[in-house]
């Protein structure tokens, strides 16, 4: 695929054909409102220089004026672009963060109209970083296959062509960070990031997920009398969209796949 000098034409094609992931209601940008632990992997082979370039370029993007960032605002029927994802109601309590979500692969899923043209080199850096993280992700899937008593290639084979998504989160300083402590009134998601009164925080997550038509269920050899089958077979695309339409509370999204007794 030749992108040199052909970006304009490609954007038109992708805008018509690229499928939407899930809807999300538009809400105010947390960063603009301010103006007016983890799985650790070592020996992954991703160069420190590339990680730093990724950090620098996304930081530059979030420091742009709101008018520039909103050129890439999420559409109401999808979560690609800049804004706030997983918003399902006007009354929802929102995270203290703004996000930029982009599909990096396969190409026919990309919506290049949501890829920032500023700062310079943004697209090339994100794609280089994504390529490296994909390699690491495939190695993890291969290792998980072995841990589960399968051949090394099995999980990758079941996934087929992976859908790759990157989400960058920007957490600006919060003048009242103690309000994430609500005595159980508001339930946090499993990997909640803490806000800070004095400094910002930026993180990015990378997702490797199966195509829509892949069916997922427990392997037969993982089920026995002591470990009965807990989850039914689901079509991954249906499962993903159902979970994205729900308010994020812990692991409640897996309810759609659980077998009800």
């Amino acid at each position: 695929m030749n992108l040199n000098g052909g970006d304009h034409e490609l954007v038109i094609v992708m805008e018509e054909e690229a499928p939407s992931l899930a809807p999300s209601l538009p809400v105010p940008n947390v960063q603009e409102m301010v103006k007016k632990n983890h799985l650790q992997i070592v020996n992954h082979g991703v160069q420190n220089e590339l990680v730093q370039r990724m950090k620098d370029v996304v930081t530059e993007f979030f420091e742009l004026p709101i008018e520039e960032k909103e050129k890439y605002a999420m559409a109401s029927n999808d979560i690609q672009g800049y804004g706030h994802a997983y918003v399902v109601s006007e009354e929802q309590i929102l995270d203290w963060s703004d996000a930029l979500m982009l599909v990096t692969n396969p190409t026919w899923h990309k919506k290049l109209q949501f890829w920032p043209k500023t700062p310079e080199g943004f697209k090339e850096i994100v794609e280089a970083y994504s390529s490296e993280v994909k390699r690491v992700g495939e190695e993890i899937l291969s290792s998980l296959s072995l841990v589960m008593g399968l051949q090394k290639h099995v999980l990758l084979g079941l996934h087929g062509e992976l859908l790759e998504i990157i989400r960058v989160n920007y957490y600006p300083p919060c003048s009242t960070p103690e309000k994430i402590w609500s005595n159980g009134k508001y339930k946090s998601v499993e990997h909640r990031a803490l806000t800070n009164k004095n400094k910002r925080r930026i993180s990015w997550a990378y997702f490797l997920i199966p195509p829509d038509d892949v069916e997922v269920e427990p392997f037969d050899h993982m089920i026995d009398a002591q470990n009965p089958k807990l989850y039914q077979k689901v079509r991954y695309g249906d499962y993903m969209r159902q979970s994205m339409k729900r308010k994020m509370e812990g692991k409640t999204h897996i309810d759609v796949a659980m077998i009800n007794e």
Side-chain angles (χ1 to χ4, degrees):
M1 181 177 295
N2 180 15
L3 298 180
N4 294 327
D7 285 358
H8 181 69
E9 181 181 355
L10 185 59
V11 168
I12 294 175
V13 174
M14 291 306 169
E15 188 172 10
E16 293 178 351
E17 297 182 359
S20 298
L21 296 178
S24 184
L25 298 178
V27 296
N29 303 103
V30 174
Q31 181 185 1
E32 200 62 22
M33 288 170 58
V34 172
K35 293 180 179 179
K36 320 191 186 164
N37 250 304
H38 307 278
L39 173 62
Q40 300 291 329
I41 302 174
V42 297
N43 301 323
H44 46 68
V46 182
Q47 296 299 311
N48 290 338
E49 179 185 358
L50 180 57
V51 176
Q52 185 62 49
R53 291 171 66 200
M54 180 69 181
K55 180 179 179 180
D56 292 343
V57 79
V58 297
T59 299
E60 287 182 49
F61 170 77
F62 280 103
E63 290 178 346
L64 292 172
I66 185 63
E67 295 79 12
E68 180 67 22
K69 290 185 294 233
E70 286 191 337
K71 292 179 181 179
Y72 312 103
M74 294 177 183
S76 60
N77 66 340
D78 200 5
I79 56 173
Q80 291 195 59
Y82 169 71
H84 214 294
Y86 311 114
V87 181
V88 296
S89 78
E90 299 287 350
E91 294 75 32
Q92 182 175 332
I93 303 299
L94 303 177
D95 286 341
W96 191 260
S97 68
D98 297 322
L100 178 66
M101 294 188 67
L102 302 169
V103 172
T104 60
N105 203 51
T107 54
W108 63 274
H109 258 283
K110 285 184 179 179
K111 294 186 176 180
L112 291 180
Q113 66 269 33
F114 296 114
W115 284 65
K117 294 180 174 60
T118 305
E120 184 177 355
F122 179 94
K123 180 173 179 291
E124 292 75 15
I125 293 172
V126 170
E127 288 182 332
Y129 177 82
S130 298
S131 177
E132 284 294 283
V133 177
K134 178 186 179 183
R135 174 185 57 77
V136 176
E138 290 178 343
E139 291 179 6
I140 293 173
L141 282 174
S142 296
S143 297
L144 286 175
S145 288
L146 295 175
V147 169
M148 297 173 68
L150 304 167
Q151 295 295 315
K152 184 176 182 179
H153 65 277
V154 170
L155 285 181
L156 272 174
L158 290 176
H159 276 67
E161 184 178 24
L162 292 168
L163 177 64
E164 303 161 37
I165 305 171
I166 190 166
R167 171 175 175 160
V168 185
N169 304 296
Y170 181 96
Y171 303 88
C174 178
S175 59
T176 54
E178 69 278 0
K179 290 187 176 180
I180 68 177
W181 306 109
S182 62
N183 196 34
K185 182 176 181 181
Y186 302 119
K187 305 294 185 182
S188 70
V189 295
E190 291 295 302
H191 49 283
R192 170 78 63 168
L194 298 181
T195 55
N196 187 287
K197 185 175 182 178
N198 300 312
K199 61 182 180 180
R200 69 185 181 201
R201 178 179 183 271
I202 292 180
S203 67
W204 57 89
Y206 195 81
F207 303 90
L208 293 172
I209 62 178
D212 283 358
D213 58 354
V214 169
E215 293 184 329
V216 181
E217 65 176 329
F219 290 110
D220 290 341
H221 74 279
M222 304 297 291
I223 303 168
D224 55 32
Q226 287 71 42
N227 299 285
K229 186 174 183 179
L230 300 178
Y231 302 97
Q232 60 188 320
K233 180 187 293 186
V234 295
R235 182 178 176 272
Y236 187 79
D238 298 335
Y239 169 79
M240 179 183 71
R241 284 169 176 78
Q242 285 295 323
S243 65
M244 285 183 171
K245 290 178 182 178
R246 301 177 64 170
K247 180 181 177 181
M248 297 187 72
E249 285 190 345
K251 297 181 179 179
T252 57
H253 58 281
I254 66 174
D255 292 347
V256 298
M258 292 193 72
I259 296 175
N260 297 318
E261 296 182 357

